[in-house]
Amino acid sequence: MGQKVNPVCFRTGVMVGWKSRWYASKEEFANLLVEDKKIREFIKKHPKKDYKAAGIDRIEIERTRDEVKVVLFVARPGLIIGKQGQEIELLQEELQNLVGRRINLKIEEISRPELQAQLVAEKIAEQLAKRASFRRCMKRSLEETMDAGAKGIKIQLAGRLGGAEMARREKQ
């Protein structure tokens, strides 16, 4: 098998920006990297709230000397913000307790979630978990994305599709 390059790694800094924007010395770097991972994991797998319905596409982290700026790109921001911004304040407090630094939490809405690959993949996975037909899921996602204005889309599902004994791959 040939040597594959991760497409995110290949495009970072050229076509796609960095997920974390900060600089640290050798001594601090490892701890700050682990801290970033903790923040992302905590938001994605929140113990009390399920933010999957909100459609979190990506989480960007910026650091200054005294604070951490976390930007969430979300399809439905109302689910995270809550009534009068109470939910976002709770999340901000929990993150501050987790990290031990001041956190500035910002939420940006994604105008067309059908064009974000991460959100399309999560939607297909959610439908498959609800036992929907895999072909119908693929076709519907393909049509929605193309109607939203994408130039193209490639979907590949693998595993025991339709409950079959033999695992296989389906591409569209």
Side-chain angles (χ1 to χ4, degrees):
M1 197 161 141
Q3 299 295 313
K4 306 290 189 287
V5 176
N6 186 321
V8 174
C9 171
F10 192 66
R11 293 176 177 91
T12 300
V14 181
M15 296 168 71
V16 179
W18 297 90
K19 291 180 181 176
S20 294
R21 288 186 292 275
W22 47 268
Y23 182 80
S25 63
K26 281 187 178 180
E27 296 83 33
E28 295 177 311
F29 186 84
N31 294 332
L32 294 179
L33 195 64
V34 170
E35 207 172 273
D36 280 8
K37 182 130 177 89
K38 279 184 188 175
I39 291 171
R40 287 194 173 94
E41 288 292 317
F42 184 81
I43 292 171
K44 285 184 181 174
K45 297 181 175 88
H46 193 275
K48 296 172 190 161
K49 284 278 185 184
D50 186 28
Y51 291 135
K52 280 197 171 162
I56 298 174
D57 180 40
R58 65 187 186 276
I59 301 168
E60 291 184 356
I61 299 172
E62 283 185 44
R63 291 178 186 274
T64 57
R65 261 183 217 278
D66 52 344
E67 80 169 3
V68 179
K69 182 179 176 187
V70 179
V71 182
L72 301 176
F73 290 87
V74 183
R76 284 176 238 114
L79 294 174
I80 293 180
I81 296 171
K83 291 183 180 175
Q84 299 161 354
Q86 292 173 340
E87 294 291 325
I88 193 169
E89 289 174 6
L90 286 172
L91 180 62
Q92 192 168 348
E93 273 182 39
E94 290 171 344
L95 285 172
Q96 285 175 352
N97 293 338
L98 177 78
V99 175
R101 285 192 170 92
R102 193 163 50 114
I103 290 190
N104 181 6
L105 194 60
K106 186 180 175 191
I107 295 178
E108 290 194 19
E109 184 178 7
I110 297 171
S111 57
R112 296 196 300 185
E114 306 88 29
L115 296 179
Q116 301 297 325
Q118 180 69 35
L119 297 178
V120 172
E122 285 176 5
K123 186 176 178 185
I124 292 172
E126 191 178 302
Q127 290 173 351
L128 291 176
K130 292 180 182 174
R131 310 279 296 150
S133 167
F134 71 93
R135 280 196 183 93
R136 190 178 303 129
C137 293
M138 288 172 71
K139 284 181 183 173
R140 189 177 297 136
S141 297
L142 196 114
E143 288 172 7
E144 284 177 8
T145 304
M146 292 305 290
D147 289 344
K151 292 181 180 176
I153 179 173
K154 186 190 293 186
I155 299 175
Q156 178 174 318
L157 294 178
R160 293 181 51 188
L161 300 173
E165 285 289 318
M166 286 289 292
R168 66 180 197 275
R169 292 182 186 278
E170 288 282 328
K171 297 178 188 178
Q172 283 193 357

